[in-house]
Amino acid sequence: MKEQEYSQDNWDLVIRSKTHWLSLNLRELWRYRDLLMLLVKRDYKASFKQTILGPIWFFIQPLLTSSVYAVIFGRIANISTDGNPRLLFYMAGVIMWNYFSTCLTATSATFVTNANIFGKVYFPRLIMPFSVVISNLLRFSVQFLFFFGVLIYYMMKPDYTVHLTWAVILTPLFLVIMALLGLSMGLIVSSLTTKYRDLAHLVGFGVQLMMYATPVVYPASFLQGKWKTILELNPMTSVIEGFRFAFMGSGEFNPMSLFYSIGVTLVLLFISVILFNKVEKGFMDTV
Amino acid sequence: MSKSVLIAEDVSKMYRLGLVSTKSLAHDLNRWWHVVRGKEDPYRMVGEANDRSSKGESEYVWALRDINFSIYEGEAVGIIGRNGAGKSTMLKLLSQVTQPTTGTIKVRGRIASLLEVGTGFHPELTGRENIFLNGAILGMRKKEIQRKLDEIIAFSGVERYIDTPVKRYSSGMYVRLAFAVAAHLESEILIVDEVLAVGDAEFQKKCLGKMGEVSKGQGRTVLFVSHNMYAIKSLCTRAIYMQNGTLKNDGNASLIVDQYLSGYDSMDTARAYQNNLSEKAVYLEKAVCQNAVGIEKYMFTADEPVRIVFTVRKKSPVRGVFLHFVLRNYEEVAILETDSREGGYPEIDTDLEGNFTSVIEIPSRILRSGRYHVSVGIRSEQHDPAQIESIASFMSFDVLADKSPRDARRNSILSTILDWKDAGRLEI
Ligand SMILES: Nc1ncnc2c1ncn2[C@@H]1O[C@H](COP(=O)(O)OP(=O)(O)O)[C@@H](O)[C@H]1O
Ligand SMILES: [Mg+2]
């Protein structure tokens, strides 16, 4: 769609048909940073203006989901929670998974949601999925504060051994990994949906399946053998286990596995940005 | 000559119409499964097989073909051509919304383009918040918008509602605000597609004035598409005439506009209405616009009468049928209403079957310049809804003010010439 060259002729912009497969223009992306922040602000304002239920839902959703999990997986299936209070254990998994999955689903719909605006004005398309990831951070923060409140409540009760560990300083890293992982997987899906529209219907289902392959409703210690291997291959595992270790002092958190997650994330990010950049150029002609 | 700021070299754009892929993973898998078992492709269209000649024609369309031009600093260039000529596609390439299939476009300076008003406006945000958002989408930094904010608000004329969510705005206010943002972008080149047609007459004038100021006053380059030939003539030094995706002519605005108006393109027969299938007993089969001598056309000058020919098909002997005609202007305001009983059209009234043709003629110098939409209702005095139909704004024609600059200075809905009689002078 664009190729900016600063050639001898001193043209500011040269538009051509073919662009290099790796023509990611970071300078231009940076120039549009105000747009990124304004889009985040828009999402934030719109979600508060539309309904009062919106912000309340921020709290109710993780609370309800965690309670349901606590009953089904905790009480009925009697799955271990590594000795943690059930509500807290599931809530940690739920708010983390929520952030990852909304990043993934929302960015996977980039072209569908923005078809109209992409057809009428040019700006670096990556701004849109980036803004989604940042906007969702707001919701995560609110839910995290809520989680923290519940955590303090349980820390003061003597019958549990819930405690913070040094790993809390890794929290920003956990967030960045989740955001980039959700973003890259979402971008890959969005690129594929330009060819196969019905893939969009599978996203929700796929995310659901992936959740069961991640220690959200059970601790990593719950699985053994070849199932364990699958769990270890999942880059989200170390993030969620790490988060639980950081705030509750339990679980199997191995800092080395975090490096694995970072590696997978970077590879996926690279692939997804290239793929997105490639389809982005032809997309507008096919709607 | 001043330096060129925009050069298009051999630019072509091809669109693909029917895509080869069915665009569905389920379909592709199903097709694969059929092919694997040696069965016929379940999604192949009947009649598509081996018919290469027709297939080749239908799949690709060249929206633009080998376009070459260069635009110089400070020029105001009008782009004209009938619908489908490729004007919007050209602007889309310039604004990088889509990529050329071949060719190169070189640009000096920043381009601000307005292909549609209010792209990215969010209904829940206030006018002020939308100025920032829209400005940023169009490529402005926040600081720039801040600096221009007062000017933008003043130009838009919606100061009183600037902190109200835009969902409460009327469509006119919406357009004003959106144009105000784009017109105040700090760019060397301003590109505007046919967007002003939506505003009211006064605002259109204000916008055209602003574009004139941008090009003449500030020395910025302006490219704009319009059907308003008077605006092109008065605002532009140069016009580019496009036809079927090619550049037909390029030169002095007045000359090009005259060539365009006298040519085949003003006929644009694609705007005729045709309907051969209807379950109704009585329906409108065809409608066309013609000039005084019966030549089909859809662009008229104010000095020509506009003839509208309706062909009504009666499949069963319904009595008391009449046509009800409404003409609306670009704002969808009904400005003329008449029904066929006024003229007394005997045959359609009776219980005969067949095709009936009715003609009405709007005399010259009644309509001011602008786009007009034709609506017609086929009514029966028996009020039987199964037999009648109403078709709203199904056909449009344009009245152009090329010959009379006076028209453009009048704001009234009609622009007629009345017979001013001299009633004599009285000695005092
Ligand atoms: N996305 C698209 N896919 C297929 N054909 C298109 C697309 N956009 C435009 N076209 C075709 O390109 C031609 C030029 O269209 P356009 O540039 O919109 O004309 P104008 O603005 O002069 O009315 C038309 O024949 C139109 O059908
Ligand atoms: Mg157009």
Side-chain angles (χ1 to χ4, degrees):
Chain A
M1 188 149 304
K2 42 87 258 277
E3 185 179 34
Q4 287 200 347
E5 283 184 358
Y6 296 86
S7 62
Q8 309 89 313
D9 270 348
N10 65 56
W11 293 103
D12 294 319
L13 170 69
V14 176
I15 303 167
R16 289 216 173 91
S17 61
K18 294 285 179 298
T19 44
H20 196 257
W21 61 280
L22 228 177
S23 67
L24 180 61
N25 193 334
L26 288 175
R27 191 182 339 171
E28 190 190 37
L29 212 54
W30 178 243
R31 201 159 59 71
Y32 275 87
R33 61 192 182 278
D34 285 350
L35 174 60
L36 182 65
M37 290 336 288
L38 283 164
L39 285 169
V40 171
K41 220 160 122 187
R42 171 196 74 176
D43 290 348
Y44 163 78
K45 286 199 173 136
S47 72
F48 278 86
K49 278 183 181 176
Q50 253 150 358
T51 59
I52 40 158
L53 256 175
I56 295 175
W57 189 242
F58 284 11
F59 298 102
I60 296 181
Q61 193 270 342
L63 193 64
L64 272 181
T65 317
S66 311
S67 310
V68 169
Y69 288 170
V71 171
I72 296 176
F73 299 105
R75 202 168 277 267
I76 299 175
N78 213 4
I79 295 173
S80 132
T81 56
D82 281 347
N84 292 302
R86 280 185 185 135
L87 188 67
L88 194 65
F89 177 88
Y90 292 115
M91 200 182 267
V94 165
I95 65 167
M96 292 291 274
W97 184 259
N98 264 355
Y99 180 61
F100 167 77
S101 71
T102 31
C103 284
L104 198 165
T105 2
T107 46
S108 74
T110 302
F111 288 113
V112 181
T113 336
N114 300 298
N116 184 46
I117 189 166
F118 283 1
K120 296 296 179 194
V121 52
Y122 171 76
F123 52 87
R125 303 317 192 197
L126 273 174
I127 292 281
M128 281 297 181
F130 283 0
S131 79
V132 164
V133 170
I134 299 177
S135 302
N136 278 311
L137 212 49
L138 177 90
R139 191 169 80 150
F140 175 80
S141 316
V142 173
Q143 296 186 342
F144 176 77
L145 285 181
F146 183 44
F147 164 79
F148 205 71
V150 178
L151 177 73
I152 289 173
Y153 168 78
Y154 280 111
M155 281 203 293
M156 289 189 305
K157 291 183 85 164
D159 26 346
Y160 293 106
T161 59
V162 178
H163 61 277
L164 300 182
T165 64
W166 62 272
V168 289
I169 56 162
L170 293 179
T171 313
L173 182 65
F174 295 147
L175 278 180
V176 171
I177 296 177
M178 276 200 304
L180 294 182
L181 210 51
L183 176 78
S184 0
M185 292 174 70
L187 286 181
I188 292 174
V189 175
S190 77
S191 308
L192 297 178
T193 47
T194 60
K195 183 157 164 61
Y196 294 120
R197 300 278 155 106
D198 54 351
L199 210 59
H201 304 304
L202 294 177
V203 176
F205 182 62
V207 170
Q208 197 74 33
L209 273 187
M210 189 176 164
M211 186 185 92
Y212 291 107
T214 311
V216 173
V217 295
Y218 54 83
S221 60
F222 177 69
L223 291 184
Q224 304 301 332
K226 70 168 187 245
W227 295 109
K228 186 77 170 213
T229 317
I230 296 180
L231 208 60
E232 279 165 354
L233 285 176
N234 181 347
M236 276 298 287
T237 300
S238 72
V239 175
I240 295 202
E241 281 294 299
F243 182 80
R244 287 208 182 107
F245 172 72
F247 288 88
M248 290 144 66
S250 71
E252 304 178 346
F253 174 57
N254 170 6
M256 285 315 288
S257 64
L258 207 55
F259 285 107
Y260 165 76
S261 296
I262 294 172
V264 172
T265 305
L266 291 179
V267 170
L268 283 180
L269 186 65
F270 182 74
I271 296 174
S272 66
V273 167
I274 288 183
L275 205 60
F276 184 84
N277 221 26
K278 196 169 155 56
V279 301
E280 170 238 309
K281 296 173 171 51
F283 170 71
M284 282 331 302
D285 299 345
T286 61
V287 282
Chain B
M1 201 91 208
S2 48
K3 69 173 178 182
S4 55
V5 289
L6 197 156
I7 294 184
E9 289 165 353
D10 300 321
V11 173
S12 299
K13 175 72 188 176
M14 185 181 67
Y15 281 116
R16 202 156 143 194
L17 292 178
L19 281 156
V20 176
S21 155
T22 53
K23 290 236 138 194
S24 151
L25 186 58
H27 283 194
D28 273 8
L29 285 176
N30 194 6
R31 166 183 283 167
W32 171 80
W33 179 235
H34 274 73
V35 173
V36 163
R37 291 177 301 159
K39 295 205 174 160
E40 206 184 319
D41 180 351
Y43 298 104
R44 189 158 72 195
M45 304 282 272
V46 182
E48 198 185 272
N50 299 326
D51 190 2
R52 289 208 61 90
S53 56
S54 75
K55 201 175 164 186
E57 283 203 347
S58 61
E59 246 185 82
Y60 298 98
V61 49
W62 286 98
L64 290 176
R65 221 50 235 253
D66 301 325
I67 304 285
N68 285 284
F69 59 80
S70 45
I71 309 278
Y72 298 92
E73 193 169 20
E75 267 190 314
V77 182
I79 301 177
I80 59 177
R82 72 191 228 186
N83 288 338
K87 306 179 296 293
S88 299
T89 306
M90 190 66 233
L91 299 194
K92 279 185 181 171
L93 294 184
L94 297 180
S95 38
Q96 303 184 74
V97 164
T98 180
Q99 252 183 331
T101 310
T102 64
T104 312
I105 299 167
K106 296 175 186 164
V107 186
R108 233 186 286 270
R110 249 165 82 179
I111 293 184
S113 65
L114 187 60
L115 302 185
E116 181 191 66
V117 285
T119 306
F121 265 40
H122 195 287
E124 296 292 337
L125 300 187
T126 67
R128 189 189 302 275
E129 289 163 346
N130 269 308
I131 292 178
F132 279 96
L133 183 62
N134 195 232
I137 287 175
L138 295 172
M140 270 200 277
R141 296 295 314 278
K142 205 170 162 181
K143 282 199 306 269
E144 289 177 47
I145 307 170
Q146 205 102 52
R147 200 162 53 229
K148 296 256 175 169
L149 189 63
D150 293 336
E151 223 179 306
I152 294 174
I153 296 177
F155 184 86
S156 70
V158 297
E159 293 96 331
R160 278 184 61 200
Y161 305 97
I162 201 66
D163 292 310
T164 309
V166 298
K167 66 177 175 191
R168 305 229 194 94
Y169 281 25
S170 70
S171 63
M173 288 161 69
Y174 204 86
V175 176
R176 279 158 187 269
L177 189 65
F179 182 80
V181 178
H184 290 84
L185 287 178
E186 284 179 0
S187 66
E188 285 74 33
I189 304 171
L190 177 65
I191 290 180
V192 183
D193 201 349
E194 218 185 318
V195 293
L196 301 178
V198 279
D200 57 69
E202 194 199 333
F203 187 67
Q204 280 188 37
K205 230 181 266 178
K206 201 171 165 186
C207 294
L208 292 172
K210 180 72 194 175
M211 292 210 280
E213 180 199 317
V214 162
S215 80
K216 293 189 184 112
Q218 305 170 3
R220 286 154 67 191
T221 310
V222 178
L223 254 86
F224 84 108
V225 171
S226 180
H227 278 299
N228 184 340
M229 295 300 146
Y230 175 72
I232 300 261
K233 273 187 171 182
S234 58
L235 205 67
C236 301
T237 44
R238 177 176 160 198
I240 290 177
Y241 175 5
M242 303 202 43
Q243 191 177 56
N244 294 330
T246 59
L247 195 153
K248 188 171 162 82
N249 212 343
D250 178 353
N252 175 285
S254 281
L255 295 178
I256 301 281
V257 166
D258 289 343
Q259 181 196 8
Y260 175 64
L261 287 179
S262 59
Y264 167 78
D265 271 335
S266 63
M267 297 175 187
D268 199 2
T269 50
R271 282 157 86 169
Y273 175 84
Q274 182 89 43
N275 177 18
N276 298 324
L277 287 168
S278 178
E279 66 277 16
K280 303 265 186 195
V282 187
Y283 66 94
L284 183 67
E285 190 175 74
K286 197 176 169 202
V288 295
C289 293
Q290 294 178 350
N291 68 4
V293 292
I295 292 174
E296 185 176 350
K297 65 185 280 185
Y298 296 87
M299 286 191 197
F300 300 86
T301 67
D303 295 318
E304 286 179 288
V306 179
R307 217 185 247 184
I308 306 172
V309 183
F310 300 102
T311 306
V312 174
R313 184 165 181 82
K314 256 172 93 171
K315 287 194 286 197
S316 62
V318 184
R319 298 197 71 133
V321 172
F322 63 95
L323 300 184
H324 177 243
F325 165 84
V326 182
L327 188 68
R328 290 172 205 278
N329 68 4
Y330 65 96
E331 286 176 306
E332 293 288 321
V333 174
I335 55 166
L336 204 62
E337 209 172 330
T338 170
D339 79 51
S340 65
R341 290 174 300 186
E342 287 163 10
Y345 194 79
E347 277 177 308
I348 199 168
D349 240 353
T350 61
D351 56 7
L352 296 171
E353 297 170 29
N355 279 0
F356 298 84
T357 305
S358 297
V359 182
I360 53 169
E361 187 169 302
I362 303 166
S364 64
R365 300 238 52 112
I366 291 268
L367 303 175
R368 56 161 302 157
S369 59
R371 177 157 290 187
Y372 292 91
H373 302 283
V374 175
S375 301
V376 77
I378 296 175
R379 303 281 156 77
S380 139
E381 279 167 353
Q382 293 152 16
H383 301 291
D384 182 350
Q387 290 167 341
I388 59 177
E389 65 174 358
S390 276
I391 326 166
S393 299
F394 61 88
M395 185 168 71
S396 69
F397 62 85
D398 297 316
V399 175
L400 308 156
D402 65 310
K403 294 229 174 74
S404 98
R406 194 178 44 199
D407 172 273
R409 271 187 257 123
R410 289 189 178 153
N411 284 323
S412 58
I413 288 177
L414 298 180
S415 175
T416 189
I417 293 176
L418 297 178
D419 196 8
W420 286 77
K421 288 206 176 62
D422 196 353
R425 173 173 166 269
L426 210 67
E427 200 84 46
I428 29 170

